[in-house]
Amino acid sequence: MTTSAKLCAPLCLALLSACAPGGPSYRVYISNEGSGDLTVIDPGRMEALATIPIGKRARGIHASPDGKLIYIALSGSPFAPPGVDESTLPPPDKSADGIGVFDVAANKMLRKVPGGSDPEQFAVGRDGLLYVSNEDAAGLSFVDPQQGNVLSTVPTGKEPEGVTLTPDAKYVYATSEDAGTVTVVDTATRQPVKTIKVGRRPRGVAFLPGGSRAFVTNENDATLSVIDTGKLEVTQTINLGPPLKPMGMAMTRDGTRLYVTTGRGKKVVIVDTATGNVQTSFEAGDRPWGIALSPDEKLLFTANGPSNDVSIIDVATQSVLKKVKAGDKPWGVLVLKSE
């Protein structure tokens, strides 16, 4: 039996189980930065079905608009955690940079397309265009994954990371960890329209469903900046308090609650988006980062880097039901409905 068949056999059996009456109609995909692979989790059985090689430093992960493909940001740049003297690091392997394209039905990597230098996070437009943060190049690249071309690159400030489209897809917001800013880029003109000062080391951006406000996680300030998207300015700062390190976010469909991972704080915080008040917090895992809700919003999934696992959390009881082993340094979480 080939390696692909060995990987596919248990996956196909599990997919039959997942799609059975009463079973979950979705799967959970985890990008593993350390091992450069993709872990597929069956949420019904609460176990990993397969871990598939993808490429170096797999980080940002999103589905194509039709849900048939998964895109994963890959990078050949060496790990450079805060405080490390980058002059002592080995040179980057630029041949490893790109966006991996994974076929969901076939359960295999199809190809890698250019994504600019050192891609980390990205957003996917309705037309399939990708908006990619290039960490070592201080820019945001517009990428056509079908043609495999970088169409243009816009400056964003050093160490860009979080990239999110407004709900109407007219603008894309990109954070700069180094500058402590969010750059707002017009997707039609591909030009920056404003740079907004937020907190220190901003990580991610999440919008209310209507797009009136954006929430930005500021890791080193233990805060969230709230941006009025009409005024393009910060109108509120939500203090989570140390030792919490706000990182990833998942917004409920109705926009009333925001779930925030807190890295070394080990918790998930629930924020009331109407008031900005912290409703509660609960233990999630060892340095939770990537986060996503199940389609029915009854389960929450967090990627816990140092412990190489994914927490499956019951939203109602705010308790961890199980921790599922993933690859090395799980980074991103994607919940994708089955066809």
Tab-separated table of all heavy atoms in Angstrom, residues 225-272:
chain	number	residue	atom	x	y	z
A	225	SER	N	-7.759	46.519	20.614
A	225	SER	CA	-8.152	47.821	20.089
A	225	SER	C	-9.409	47.649	19.255
A	225	SER	O	-9.500	46.729	18.441
A	225	SER	CB	-7.047	48.418	19.211
A	225	SER	OG	-5.890	48.692	19.959
A	226	VAL	N	-10.391	48.529	19.467
A	226	VAL	CA	-11.630	48.494	18.699
A	226	VAL	C	-11.609	49.661	17.717
A	226	VAL	O	-11.514	50.825	18.124
A	226	VAL	CB	-12.864	48.585	19.607
A	226	VAL	CG1	-14.136	48.459	18.782
A	226	VAL	CG2	-12.815	47.504	20.686
A	227	ILE	N	-11.694	49.340	16.430
A	227	ILE	CA	-11.632	50.355	15.383
A	227	ILE	C	-13.022	50.601	14.813
A	227	ILE	O	-13.722	49.658	14.433
A	227	ILE	CB	-10.682	49.921	14.244
A	227	ILE	CG1	-9.244	49.788	14.768
A	227	ILE	CG2	-10.735	50.897	13.072
A	227	ILE	CD1	-8.269	49.205	13.749
A	228	ASP	N	-13.431	51.861	14.782
A	228	ASP	CA	-14.641	52.270	14.075
A	228	ASP	C	-14.267	52.322	12.596
A	228	ASP	O	-13.451	53.161	12.176
A	228	ASP	CB	-15.102	53.644	14.574
A	228	ASP	CG	-16.384	54.116	13.914
A	228	ASP	OD1	-16.486	54.026	12.670
A	228	ASP	OD2	-17.278	54.595	14.629
A	229	THR	N	-14.831	51.426	11.791
A	229	THR	CA	-14.396	51.320	10.401
A	229	THR	C	-14.915	52.464	9.526
A	229	THR	O	-14.426	52.659	8.421
A	229	THR	CB	-14.848	49.982	9.801
A	229	THR	OG1	-16.271	49.875	9.885
A	229	THR	CG2	-14.214	48.813	10.542
A	230	GLY	N	-15.905	53.194	10.021
A	230	GLY	CA	-16.361	54.376	9.293
A	230	GLY	C	-15.420	55.543	9.499
A	230	GLY	O	-15.033	56.237	8.559
A	231	LYS	N	-15.007	55.744	10.751
A	231	LYS	CA	-14.091	56.832	11.087
A	231	LYS	C	-12.630	56.455	10.856
A	231	LYS	O	-11.756	57.335	10.814
A	231	LYS	CB	-14.274	57.227	12.554
A	231	LYS	CG	-15.659	57.738	12.900
A	231	LYS	CD	-15.764	58.039	14.387
A	231	LYS	CE	-17.137	58.559	14.776
A	231	LYS	NZ	-17.240	58.808	16.241
A	232	LEU	N	-12.342	55.143	10.761
A	232	LEU	CA	-10.979	54.632	10.639
A	232	LEU	C	-10.107	55.124	11.791
A	232	LEU	O	-9.012	55.664	11.604
A	232	LEU	CB	-10.358	55.009	9.284
A	232	LEU	CG	-10.964	54.336	8.050
A	232	LEU	CD1	-10.250	54.786	6.787
A	232	LEU	CD2	-10.927	52.811	8.163
A	233	GLU	N	-10.627	54.914	13.008
A	233	GLU	CA	-9.867	55.282	14.193
A	233	GLU	C	-10.259	54.377	15.355
A	233	GLU	O	-11.355	53.800	15.381
A	233	GLU	CB	-10.101	56.740	14.565
A	233	GLU	CG	-11.530	57.086	14.914
A	233	GLU	CD	-11.740	58.567	15.214
A	233	GLU	OE1	-11.161	59.399	14.496
A	233	GLU	OE2	-12.499	58.874	16.162
A	234	VAL	N	-9.331	54.262	16.310
A	234	VAL	CA	-9.594	53.464	17.507
A	234	VAL	C	-10.536	54.237	18.418
A	234	VAL	O	-10.264	55.386	18.773
A	234	VAL	CB	-8.284	53.121	18.240
A	234	VAL	CG1	-8.581	52.414	19.570
A	234	VAL	CG2	-7.387	52.247	17.376
A	235	THR	N	-11.637	53.602	18.792
A	235	THR	CA	-12.614	54.259	19.649
A	235	THR	C	-12.718	53.613	21.030
A	235	THR	O	-13.375	54.157	21.913
A	235	THR	CB	-14.005	54.239	18.985
A	235	THR	OG1	-14.359	52.892	18.672
A	235	THR	CG2	-14.005	55.081	17.717
A	236	GLN	N	-12.073	52.472	21.215
A	236	GLN	CA	-12.127	51.789	22.505
A	236	GLN	C	-10.928	50.857	22.641
A	236	GLN	O	-10.462	50.282	21.653
A	236	GLN	CB	-13.426	50.974	22.627
A	236	GLN	CG	-13.623	50.298	23.980
A	236	GLN	CD	-14.915	49.481	24.032
A	236	GLN	OE1	-15.523	49.200	23.002
A	236	GLN	NE2	-15.344	49.102	25.230
A	237	THR	N	-10.439	50.739	23.871
A	237	THR	CA	-9.383	49.776	24.176
A	237	THR	C	-9.882	48.867	25.287
A	237	THR	O	-10.284	49.339	26.357
A	237	THR	CB	-8.080	50.473	24.610
A	237	THR	OG1	-7.616	51.304	23.535
A	237	THR	CG2	-7.006	49.444	24.941
A	238	ILE	N	-9.894	47.572	25.020
A	238	ILE	CA	-10.375	46.585	25.980
A	238	ILE	C	-9.169	45.966	26.677
A	238	ILE	O	-8.306	45.377	26.023
A	238	ILE	CB	-11.201	45.490	25.276
A	238	ILE	CG1	-12.405	46.114	24.562
A	238	ILE	CG2	-11.657	44.422	26.275
A	238	ILE	CD1	-13.136	45.158	23.641
A	239	ASN	N	-9.124	46.122	27.988
A	239	ASN	CA	-7.978	45.638	28.756
A	239	ASN	C	-8.251	44.233	29.280
A	239	ASN	O	-9.175	44.021	30.068
A	239	ASN	CB	-7.693	46.597	29.920
A	239	ASN	CG	-6.443	46.225	30.689
A	239	ASN	OD1	-5.559	45.561	30.155
A	239	ASN	ND2	-6.352	46.659	31.926
A	240	LEU	N	-7.437	43.272	28.849
A	240	LEU	CA	-7.551	41.907	29.364
A	240	LEU	C	-6.675	41.705	30.584
A	240	LEU	O	-6.981	40.902	31.454
A	240	LEU	CB	-7.177	40.885	28.287
A	240	LEU	CG	-7.976	40.926	26.980
A	240	LEU	CD1	-7.584	39.749	26.098
A	240	LEU	CD2	-9.463	40.935	27.231
A	241	GLY	N	-5.565	42.426	30.631
A	241	GLY	CA	-4.667	42.368	31.779
A	241	GLY	C	-3.643	41.256	31.675
A	241	GLY	O	-3.920	40.192	31.136
A	242	PRO	N	-2.410	41.520	32.175
A	242	PRO	CA	-1.380	40.485	32.196
A	242	PRO	C	-1.790	39.386	33.156
A	242	PRO	O	-2.586	39.637	34.091
A	242	PRO	CB	-0.144	41.244	32.688
A	242	PRO	CG	-0.693	42.424	33.449
A	242	PRO	CD	-1.971	42.781	32.771
A	243	PRO	N	-1.296	38.147	32.953
A	243	PRO	CA	-0.294	37.713	31.975
A	243	PRO	C	-0.883	37.288	30.644
A	243	PRO	O	-0.230	36.562	29.887
A	243	PRO	CB	0.328	36.513	32.691
A	243	PRO	CG	-0.835	35.881	33.397
A	243	PRO	CD	-1.700	37.027	33.852
A	244	LEU	N	-2.114	37.704	30.325
A	244	LEU	CA	-2.745	37.287	29.084
A	244	LEU	C	-2.074	37.942	27.878
A	244	LEU	O	-1.687	39.112	27.934
A	244	LEU	CB	-4.228	37.622	29.115
A	244	LEU	CG	-5.026	37.021	30.281
A	244	LEU	CD1	-6.495	37.375	30.158
A	244	LEU	CD2	-4.842	35.512	30.346
A	245	LYS	N	-1.940	37.168	26.809
A	245	LYS	CA	-1.295	37.630	25.577
A	245	LYS	C	-2.271	37.393	24.420
A	245	LYS	O	-2.215	36.362	23.751
A	245	LYS	CB	-0.007	36.849	25.326
A	245	LYS	CG	1.046	36.971	26.415
A	245	LYS	CD	1.879	38.213	26.217
A	245	LYS	CE	3.073	38.249	27.156
A	245	LYS	NZ	3.889	39.467	26.936
A	246	PRO	N	-3.190	38.307	24.172
A	246	PRO	CA	-4.221	38.071	23.154
A	246	PRO	C	-3.623	37.811	21.775
A	246	PRO	O	-2.754	38.547	21.315
A	246	PRO	CB	-5.060	39.356	23.182
A	246	PRO	CG	-4.221	40.368	23.881
A	246	PRO	CD	-3.328	39.622	24.810
A	247	MET	N	-4.128	36.749	21.135
A	247	MET	CA	-3.557	36.303	19.861
A	247	MET	C	-4.636	36.151	18.780
A	247	MET	O	-4.899	37.046	18.028
A	247	MET	CB	-2.840	34.958	20.078
A	247	MET	CG	-1.845	34.935	21.226
A	247	MET	SD	-0.344	35.852	20.889
A	247	MET	CE	0.570	34.660	19.952
A	248	GLY	N	-5.279	34.964	18.759
A	248	GLY	CA	-6.272	34.687	17.726
A	248	GLY	C	-7.685	34.998	18.195
A	248	GLY	O	-7.942	35.152	19.394
A	249	MET	N	-8.627	35.070	17.238
A	249	MET	CA	-10.015	35.401	17.566
A	249	MET	C	-10.982	34.590	16.728
A	249	MET	O	-10.687	34.227	15.585
A	249	MET	CB	-10.272	36.895	17.327
A	249	MET	CG	-9.580	37.838	18.285
A	249	MET	SD	-9.843	39.582	17.856
A	249	MET	CE	-8.722	39.746	16.455
A	250	ALA	N	-12.149	34.332	17.330
A	250	ALA	CA	-13.264	33.716	16.607
A	250	ALA	C	-14.529	34.460	17.009
A	250	ALA	O	-14.851	34.559	18.190
A	250	ALA	CB	-13.379	32.237	16.942
A	251	MET	N	-15.241	34.979	16.027
A	251	MET	CA	-16.464	35.748	16.258
A	251	MET	C	-17.690	34.879	16.012
A	251	MET	O	-17.723	34.100	15.058
A	251	MET	CB	-16.504	36.952	15.298
A	251	MET	CG	-17.713	37.863	15.434
A	251	MET	SD	-17.584	39.012	16.813
A	251	MET	CE	-16.310	40.146	16.179
A	252	THR	N	-18.691	34.992	16.882
A	252	THR	CA	-19.944	34.282	16.639
A	252	THR	C	-20.657	34.888	15.432
A	252	THR	O	-20.425	36.046	15.072
A	252	THR	CB	-20.873	34.351	17.857
A	252	THR	OG1	-21.110	35.723	18.195
A	252	THR	CG2	-20.270	33.625	19.050
A	253	ARG	N	-21.505	34.090	14.793
A	253	ARG	CA	-22.192	34.567	13.589
A	253	ARG	C	-23.038	35.803	13.847
A	253	ARG	O	-23.169	36.674	12.996
A	253	ARG	CB	-23.073	33.458	12.993
A	253	ARG	CG	-22.337	32.431	12.174
A	253	ARG	CD	-23.312	31.518	11.433
A	253	ARG	NE	-24.200	30.828	12.352
A	253	ARG	CZ	-23.900	29.695	12.976
A	253	ARG	NH1	-22.709	29.141	12.777
A	253	ARG	NH2	-24.766	29.117	13.781
A	254	ASP	N	-23.640	35.886	15.045
A	254	ASP	CA	-24.478	37.055	15.337
A	254	ASP	C	-23.666	38.243	15.837
A	254	ASP	O	-24.209	39.332	16.070
A	254	ASP	CB	-25.582	36.705	16.342
A	254	ASP	CG	-25.038	36.280	17.715
A	254	ASP	OD1	-23.812	36.391	17.959
A	254	ASP	OD2	-25.848	35.831	18.547
A	255	GLY	N	-22.360	38.046	16.001
A	255	GLY	CA	-21.483	39.144	16.380
A	255	GLY	C	-21.570	39.578	17.827
A	255	GLY	O	-21.008	40.609	18.194
A	256	THR	N	-22.228	38.804	18.677
A	256	THR	CA	-22.390	39.230	20.069
A	256	THR	C	-21.201	38.857	20.951
A	256	THR	O	-20.953	39.516	21.950
A	256	THR	CB	-23.666	38.625	20.683
A	256	THR	OG1	-23.583	37.189	20.639
A	256	THR	CG2	-24.895	39.100	19.930
A	257	ARG	N	-20.509	37.779	20.591
A	257	ARG	CA	-19.404	37.316	21.423
A	257	ARG	C	-18.151	37.113	20.585
A	257	ARG	O	-18.210	36.647	19.435
A	257	ARG	CB	-19.748	35.993	22.110
A	257	ARG	CG	-20.694	36.127	23.290
A	257	ARG	CD	-21.140	34.759	23.759
A	257	ARG	NE	-21.924	34.087	22.722
A	257	ARG	CZ	-22.175	32.784	22.698
A	257	ARG	NH1	-21.684	32.003	23.630
A	257	ARG	NH2	-22.915	32.257	21.742
A	258	LEU	N	-17.019	37.451	21.199
A	258	LEU	CA	-15.718	37.269	20.572
A	258	LEU	C	-14.872	36.391	21.480
A	258	LEU	O	-14.680	36.702	22.657
A	258	LEU	CB	-15.037	38.628	20.368
A	258	LEU	CG	-13.669	38.621	19.688
A	258	LEU	CD1	-13.790	38.156	18.238
A	258	LEU	CD2	-13.041	40.023	19.741
A	259	TYR	N	-14.395	35.275	20.928
A	259	TYR	CA	-13.510	34.371	21.671
A	259	TYR	C	-12.067	34.719	21.322
A	259	TYR	O	-11.711	34.798	20.141
A	259	TYR	CB	-13.800	32.920	21.309
A	259	TYR	CG	-15.179	32.444	21.701
A	259	TYR	CD1	-16.254	32.558	20.814
A	259	TYR	CD2	-15.418	31.892	22.951
A	259	TYR	CE1	-17.528	32.120	21.163
A	259	TYR	CE2	-16.688	31.446	23.313
A	259	TYR	CZ	-17.733	31.572	22.410
A	259	TYR	OH	-18.991	31.135	22.765
A	260	VAL	N	-11.239	34.913	22.339
A	260	VAL	CA	-9.865	35.366	22.145
A	260	VAL	C	-8.906	34.404	22.827
A	260	VAL	O	-9.019	34.149	24.033
A	260	VAL	CB	-9.652	36.786	22.722
A	260	VAL	CG1	-8.246	37.287	22.422
A	260	VAL	CG2	-10.705	37.756	22.188
A	261	THR	N	-7.941	33.869	22.068
A	261	THR	CA	-6.893	33.062	22.682
A	261	THR	C	-5.839	33.982	23.274
A	261	THR	O	-5.626	35.102	22.800
A	261	THR	CB	-6.230	32.109	21.677
A	261	THR	OG1	-5.730	32.857	20.552
A	261	THR	CG2	-7.208	31.053	21.189
A	262	THR	N	-5.144	33.490	24.312
A	262	THR	CA	-4.224	34.372	25.040
A	262	THR	C	-2.816	33.807	25.171
A	262	THR	O	-2.088	34.153	26.090
A	262	THR	CB	-4.778	34.688	26.442
A	262	THR	OG1	-4.877	33.465	27.195
A	262	THR	CG2	-6.140	35.360	26.358
A	263	GLY	N	-2.398	32.951	24.247
A	263	GLY	CA	-1.015	32.504	24.232
A	263	GLY	C	-0.535	31.949	25.553
A	263	GLY	O	-1.129	31.025	26.114
A	264	ARG	N	0.536	32.534	26.066
A	264	ARG	CA	1.115	32.043	27.324
A	264	ARG	C	0.167	32.210	28.513
A	264	ARG	O	0.409	31.657	29.583
A	264	ARG	CB	2.439	32.746	27.600
A	264	ARG	CG	3.531	32.369	26.602
A	264	ARG	CD	4.846	33.103	26.865
A	264	ARG	NE	5.868	32.713	25.925
A	264	ARG	CZ	6.047	33.241	24.710
A	264	ARG	NH1	5.239	34.203	24.302
A	264	ARG	NH2	7.008	32.818	23.918
A	265	GLY	N	-0.897	32.972	28.337
A	265	GLY	CA	-1.913	33.089	29.374
A	265	GLY	C	-2.749	31.839	29.523
A	265	GLY	O	-3.478	31.684	30.507
A	266	LYS	N	-2.685	30.938	28.511
A	266	LYS	CA	-3.310	29.614	28.522
A	266	LYS	C	-4.837	29.628	28.493
A	266	LYS	O	-5.458	28.586	28.549
A	266	LYS	CB	-2.845	28.798	29.732
A	266	LYS	CG	-1.347	28.535	29.747
A	266	LYS	CD	-0.957	27.608	30.889
A	266	LYS	CE	0.534	27.301	30.834
A	266	LYS	NZ	0.950	26.362	31.906
A	267	LYS	N	-5.439	30.788	28.386
A	267	LYS	CA	-6.889	30.879	28.477
A	267	LYS	C	-7.525	31.343	27.170
A	267	LYS	O	-6.872	31.901	26.294
A	267	LYS	CB	-7.288	31.847	29.594
A	267	LYS	CG	-6.911	31.378	30.990
A	267	LYS	CD	-7.424	32.363	32.035
A	267	LYS	CE	-7.130	31.865	33.441
A	267	LYS	NZ	-7.672	32.777	34.478
A	268	VAL	N	-8.840	31.094	27.093
A	268	VAL	CA	-9.693	31.750	26.112
A	268	VAL	C	-10.563	32.750	26.874
A	268	VAL	O	-11.143	32.415	27.910
A	268	VAL	CB	-10.578	30.746	25.360
A	268	VAL	CG1	-11.667	31.469	24.568
A	268	VAL	CG2	-9.739	29.897	24.422
A	269	VAL	N	-10.615	33.969	26.373
A	269	VAL	CA	-11.420	35.035	26.976
A	269	VAL	C	-12.635	35.276	26.091
A	269	VAL	O	-12.520	35.305	24.863
A	269	VAL	CB	-10.595	36.331	27.116
A	269	VAL	CG1	-11.472	37.484	27.564
A	269	VAL	CG2	-9.439	36.133	28.080
A	270	ILE	N	-13.795	35.460	26.704
A	270	ILE	CA	-15.013	35.784	25.962
A	270	ILE	C	-15.336	37.259	26.191
A	270	ILE	O	-15.495	37.706	27.334
A	270	ILE	CB	-16.208	34.923	26.399
A	270	ILE	CG1	-15.884	33.431	26.267
A	270	ILE	CG2	-17.436	35.275	25.566
A	270	ILE	CD1	-17.006	32.521	26.735
A	271	VAL	N	-15.426	38.004	25.096
A	271	VAL	CA	-15.699	39.439	25.151
A	271	VAL	C	-17.101	39.714	24.617
A	271	VAL	O	-17.497	39.206	23.567
A	271	VAL	CB	-14.662	40.228	24.322
A	271	VAL	CG1	-15.018	41.711	24.262
A	271	VAL	CG2	-13.255	40.036	24.890
A	272	ASP	N	-17.849	40.518	25.360
A	272	ASP	CA	-19.142	41.013	24.900
A	272	ASP	C	-18.860	42.157	23.922
A	272	ASP	O	-18.356	43.213	24.323
A	272	ASP	CB	-19.958	41.511	26.098
A	272	ASP	CG	-21.347	42.023	25.719
A	272	ASP	OD1	-21.486	42.616	24.638
A	272	ASP	OD2	-22.270	41.852	26.524
